[in-house]
Amino acid sequence: MHKNGFFSLLFHYLFIAFIVAPLLVVMAMAFTDKGYLSLPTDGLSLRWFRALLENQEMLDAFFLSLKLGLVSATVATLLAVPAALAISRYEFPGRGALTGFLLSPLMIPSVVLGIAFLRFFSMAQIGGSFWALSITHVIVVLPYALRLTLASTIGLERDIEQAALSLGARRWTAFYRVVLPRIRTGVIGGWMLAFIQSFDELTMTVFVATPGTTTLPVAMYNQISQTIDPLITAVSTVLIVGTLVLMLVLDRMVGLDRVLIGEGK
């Protein structure tokens, strides 16, 4: 087996350090005891984590982003699964156009989407609600759920499903017991990427969010534009640690490598 040389490993470690170093700096600044961004600091303190727990606006924004991510990722996945099965299994006129249409939000700048959604909701007079914001996020994250789901359905053999149908199983039963377990990693990976994209979406959300529907990225953006204090580093540290824990749990339960490439069971 070919092994990487010294310089290859050195480049690899330097690249990882280059990626991780900014995160470590942000996390280190979250423990400062000063009222401004400072590194190094004279002492360690949890004052900004306590300030985060006392900041109701930031907590409300976090729970709204969490709820929005769960709703939009779930709806996008429910739409992506039948779309992926139809595209991968059947030949029909407009198949390529349908695929391009469903993936088109990836090619449109977020600023353009934000302005378009703002104009549409203003004309329809339905802006400012949680469900209007959810619709925009479903449209934006649908391609992420579709790409991994589609990767797991392409080349999926239908012999086992046909055998289940021939033995008297209903189509829903055959799908739930035969098809879904074989595309499970692609569906989970698509849902995960859709949730992360929804939770992290800022540029488009700025245009359609209102004071009553302020997500966490928007609240963080407003906080940075108004003042610079270590509160943002505390929020970032919580998100970094939470993401790391989520990745570890997902790796233990399913296998992170299989999820991210949409590999079937």
Side-chain angles (χ1 to χ4, degrees):
M1 179 181 296
H2 177 72
K3 294 183 178 181
N4 291 325
F6 171 77
F7 291 103
S8 297
L9 292 176
L10 179 62
F11 175 80
H12 173 75
Y13 291 133
L14 290 176
F15 181 78
I16 296 298
F18 178 79
I19 296 297
V20 175
L23 301 181
L24 297 179
V25 171
V26 170
M27 296 176 66
M29 286 192 294
F31 294 93
T32 182
D33 59 346
K34 301 184 182 299
Y36 52 89
L37 297 176
S38 174
L39 190 71
T41 181
D42 296 333
L44 300 179
S45 174
L46 296 177
R47 59 174 293 193
W48 293 109
F49 291 96
R50 290 194 296 266
L52 175 60
L53 294 177
E54 296 171 357
N55 192 317
Q56 192 60 44
E57 180 182 355
M58 201 68 71
L59 292 177
D60 291 341
F62 170 78
F63 287 113
L64 178 65
S65 291
L66 186 63
K67 178 182 177 182
L68 180 63
L70 292 173
V71 171
S72 58
T74 301
V75 173
T77 303
L78 291 176
L79 296 175
V81 171
L85 290 174
I87 293 172
S88 62
R89 286 183 173 184
Y90 305 107
E91 294 284 349
F92 54 88
R95 176 187 173 190
L98 176 61
T99 305
F101 173 75
L102 294 176
L103 298 177
S104 60
L106 291 175
M107 299 176 287
I108 303 176
S110 298
V111 174
V112 176
L113 284 175
I115 296 175
F117 285 134
L118 176 62
R119 178 63 175 168
F120 173 76
F121 290 145
S122 299
M123 295 178 61
Q125 297 182 351
I126 59 175
S129 66
F130 172 79
W131 297 111
L133 188 59
S134 299
I135 292 173
T136 64
H137 276 238
V138 169
I139 295 174
V140 170
V141 305
L142 177 60
Y144 296 90
L146 180 61
R147 287 289 294 270
L148 285 187
T149 305
L150 192 59
S152 63
T153 57
I154 292 179
L156 182 65
E157 298 178 356
R158 302 188 61 184
D159 295 343
I160 301 179
E161 182 184 4
Q162 294 294 340
L165 294 174
S166 66
L167 293 174
R170 297 180 180 273
R171 286 196 173 274
W172 168 252
T173 303
F175 168 78
Y176 181 75
R177 293 183 176 272
V178 178
V179 178
L180 187 58
R182 296 170 65 86
I183 64 174
R184 176 171 58 99
T185 54
V187 174
I188 294 175
W191 185 94
M192 183 183 69
L193 290 183
F195 174 81
I196 294 174
Q197 180 64 23
S198 174
F199 194 92
D200 190 54
E201 174 57 44
L202 170 64
T203 307
M204 182 272 298
T205 308
V206 167
F207 289 91
V208 296
T210 62
T213 57
T214 301
T215 61
L216 184 60
V218 175
M220 295 174 67
Y221 175 79
N222 293 335
Q223 179 74 14
I224 294 175
S225 63
Q226 296 172 6
T227 181
I228 299 179
D229 58 37
L231 179 65
I232 292 300
T233 63
V235 178
S236 301
T237 299
V238 172
L239 295 179
I240 292 171
V241 174
T243 302
L244 180 60
V245 171
L246 179 62
M247 294 296 101
L248 291 176
V249 171
L250 193 62
D251 184 56
R252 289 291 184 179
M253 293 178 58
V254 182
L256 196 58
D257 53 343
R258 297 174 58 199
V259 168
L260 292 179
I261 63 176
E263 181 182 321
K265 185 175 180 181

